[in-house]
Amino acid sequence: MACAALLTTGEPAWDGGCPVTVVERAFAQAVREHEPLLTGIARRLCGNDADAADLVHDTYERALRAWDRYADRGNLRSWMVAILNNLFIDRCRKTRRTPKTEAIDDLELAAPEAAAPPAWTNVTDQQITVALATLGAEFRRVYELHALGRSYDEIAVEMKIAKATVGTRLIRARKKLKDALLREIGGEA
Amino acid sequence: MTAPQACAHLARTHAFADGELTGADADDARDHLATCAACQAELAEVLQLDAAVAGVVAGVVAAPAPEVVSLAWYRRRRVQVAALGLAAAAAAVAIYVALPHPGTPDEPGAVAVALAPRRVVEARLAWHGAAAYRTYDVPRAGEPPHESIALMTLAELEKRGDDHGVGVLQLLNGERRQAATHLERAGDSVDVISDRAALALGDNQPEQALRFADAALGKDANHGAALWNRALALRDLGLSRTAAAAFREVARRGEPGWADEARQRAASLDAETDAVQHRFERLNQASVAFTRGEIELSVDDARTMPGFARGILYDAIRSAATPAQLAALAPLGEAIDAADRDTAMTDALARARAALHPALSKPYAEMVRSLAVELQITPAAGDEAPVPSGATRTQFLAALRAAHAGDLLIGALMKLSDDRRVVNRDELAEFAKLTVASPDPWMQLLGLQQQAEVALTQGDLTGAEALLLRAKQRCTEPGAPAFRCILIEALLGQLYAASRRLPDARAALAVAWQTARASGEWVMQDALLERLAGVASLGDDAAAAGLPLVRAYRDELVHRRGAANTIPHPNL
């Protein structure tokens, strides 16, 4: 665990007892830029810093173990997000408050191998820009404000709409965006 | 991709992914996600889509098309980027700082500072780009703590003339001299002064750190980072009670992350100090019990406080009249020797066994008992013989000399001196000869110390210094007991203070204090604190430089007062 904590903190600490290989160095280098994104997601999902840090931590560990099987290096971001998401769902299963009906073994087995993210996530910035342009102005504005990290309340004030409307517009914006991306990459809509 | 069955909770899943749910609502959503395939798939899509778009949208903000969006809209956006930064700061990983670009004030350029999820410096930084709470990770031994900061970030901040930011990032980077240079130039805001304290802490200059932290608190008594750094400085100065109190003050502020860590730090500081203090109290009890002829010293306590334990054991050996009594002391001697990594106590026991003086040991034990009553260490039982004086004293000392009982004579000359501690002037030459002849470094140091104390009382500062420096030299050799060396340094400090050589006095007392702390010898700590406070309050620069220290030392004394009942054993 201590080694994973050091993944993105830099070189000398790496050599202080953690196994260091060329692969691990490359991995640390590669995931570094995605750390803010992953932590932001983890924090929203976990609701507190400690669990979020743990989740990001575990994501690195899992990703590092599967690194040599990770072929498509063009979309590291969505691969990492997929791992984090899977680990999060896994945690939800383990910590569920309602009585569990599954056998514990099943739950352990359910721990996911890094799944291939959906094809539509493998898109260029250009394609995303085009897809965003297909959204109506109202949807686009809500979605962009959201992407900038603003809360539903803040967006509601900014756009002078009800908070509930923010939520429904976001859902619809995402649906439209996904469909547009699927069309662009030639998949089914 | 197979479309999962629709679920009535999909909308809630979006809100959850957006961080809009809290408390029980969020828990419900997590529980539901554990089993609902539709919502799991939805969550995955939301996260992937948002992640893909995030970079693009951020790019749009960084390079907007002016004809599409009004200037006012820009300015709001800039604040929004900062808000995003704050959210990330709370996530304790990455901080986006929106800074206006010089020359083009309306173009919102953002400097992204990506920091590791855990911090490697204990100090708390005030600069906004590194102020967020991150869990502290103890750095590996032998490695200067640092995290790597992207050069581009540094270059960008430097370009913007943000000396404070560059200084702090260089500090995190482990480039301490660079950090000092930039923080030096960064002005005198509360945040900058507090960050100078952080740098001083990392440079192992707690006095300096305390001064900076106090200066920052002088400007803003509620400055979270300065309060934190002050607590660390106090801890590094060895003022554990005051440091614990300072951390509790931080904890009361309730800042996420910091409060919990402060609570833990306060608790562990108190636990450590309690352990030392309780051990001292037990030893003190043992020393009182010894004057009644009882040995209450445990092997564990002797091992962990070997100096104080030695004082008791030497007198126990002198008082032992039979081989059985000496044999009973052997485990304690071994424990003390193990702690001091020598064989001094075992050797002393062997010497005593080789030359038992039952006729002298019994009166010696009687002498200790009656002295304890005279010095009000124990209440009178009524059957004590008076402390030998006049002819009785002369007779007793003559008997010790005749028997060549050097070890007993050393004890008797000190205890039967006029002030019951420092050997009488007319007997000093004999005492010096006895201690030089002893194979025990403890006794050799004791001889030098007593000679120096006599010289000091006569105002012979030069002579006293020469003796103490010889003792100090002896302290660097193997087998030198820390306890005696602390007293030597303390005396040196006293001497230098009397000669108005204040930096020397401070240095000597600081060494004494550190050694007393490191060796767990509680008994001298209060006296050293008094002297440290005294020396810190002397000198022309006292107002600027000394007062924070004076206050800190005095606070520590107040925190300790009433906690320990310090009764110095007459052999000290």
Side-chain angles (χ1 to χ4, degrees), chain A residues 2-3 5-6 8-13 15-18 32 35-37 39-41 43-47 49 53-54 57 77-79 81-82 85 88-89 92-93 95-98 102 117-118 120-121 123 125 128-129 132 140-141 143-153 158 163 170-171 174 177-178 181 188, chain B residues 1 10-12 14-21 24 27-35 39-40 42-58 60-61 73 76-77 80-81 83-84 87-94 96 114-118 120 133 135 137 140 143 146-150 256:
Chain A
C3 293
L6 297 168
T8 61
T9 62
E11 308 76 33
D15 302 323
C18 293
R32 203 186 152 98
E35 189 159 301
L37 172 75
T39 310
I41 295 175
R43 176 134 207 282
R44 286 197 294 279
L45 296 184
C46 297
D49 291 350
D54 271 1
H57 218 129
R77 183 201 58 229
S78 57
W79 186 64
V81 169
N85 180 40
F88 171 71
I89 296 294
C92 290
R93 289 173 175 162
T95 60
R96 195 152 55 96
R97 291 164 305 171
T98 45
E102 303 91 333
W120 58 262
T121 64
V123 289
D125 286 359
I128 290 169
T129 310
L132 277 171
R140 181 174 174 165
R141 185 81 171 276
Y143 193 72
E144 281 184 359
L145 286 172
H146 166 72
L148 286 166
R150 310 196 69 189
S151 70
Y152 286 12
D153 277 329
E158 171 96 26
K163 186 178 173 183
L170 271 178
I171 293 173
R174 283 179 175 130
L177 202 54
K178 188 187 130 192
L181 286 172
E188 83 270 36
Chain B
M1 196 172 155
L10 288 180
R12 185 179 68 179
H14 280 253
F16 175 72
D18 290 337
E20 291 289 327
L21 301 185
D27 287 341
D28 286 345
R30 289 189 197 98
D31 277 359
H32 177 72
L33 275 163
T35 51
C39 284
Q40 286 172 13
E42 194 76 6
L43 178 68
E45 282 196 1
V46 169
L47 296 182
Q48 290 291 356
L49 194 64
D50 286 3
V53 175
V56 176
V57 172
V60 169
V61 175
W73 182 196
R76 275 203 301 279
R77 291 264 178 129
Q80 288 148 21
V81 177
L84 177 64
V93 167
Y96 295 87
L115 298 178
R118 287 158 197 266
V120 293
Y133 179 76
T135 315
D137 237 4
R140 282 162 209 281
E143 279 170 7
H146 83 285
E147 47 192 291
S148 67
I149 304 293

Side-chain angles (χ1 to χ4, degrees), chain B residues 165-222:
Chain B
V166 175
V168 164
L169 290 185
Q170 291 287 26
L171 188 164
L172 291 173
N173 221 1
E175 301 288 345
R176 316 198 63 86
R177 290 182 61 176
Q178 302 245 36
T181 310
H182 283 280
L183 286 179
E184 198 70 26
R185 293 201 296 244
D188 276 316
S189 70
V190 187
D191 285 355
V192 169
I193 298 174
S194 175
D195 284 345
R196 285 190 191 128
L199 184 67
L201 283 169
D203 288 338
N204 204 14
Q205 295 181 333
E207 296 190 5
Q208 194 64 21
L210 184 71
R211 284 182 200 115
F212 281 132
D214 265 20
L217 291 169
K219 291 184 174 216
D220 175 4
N222 261 319

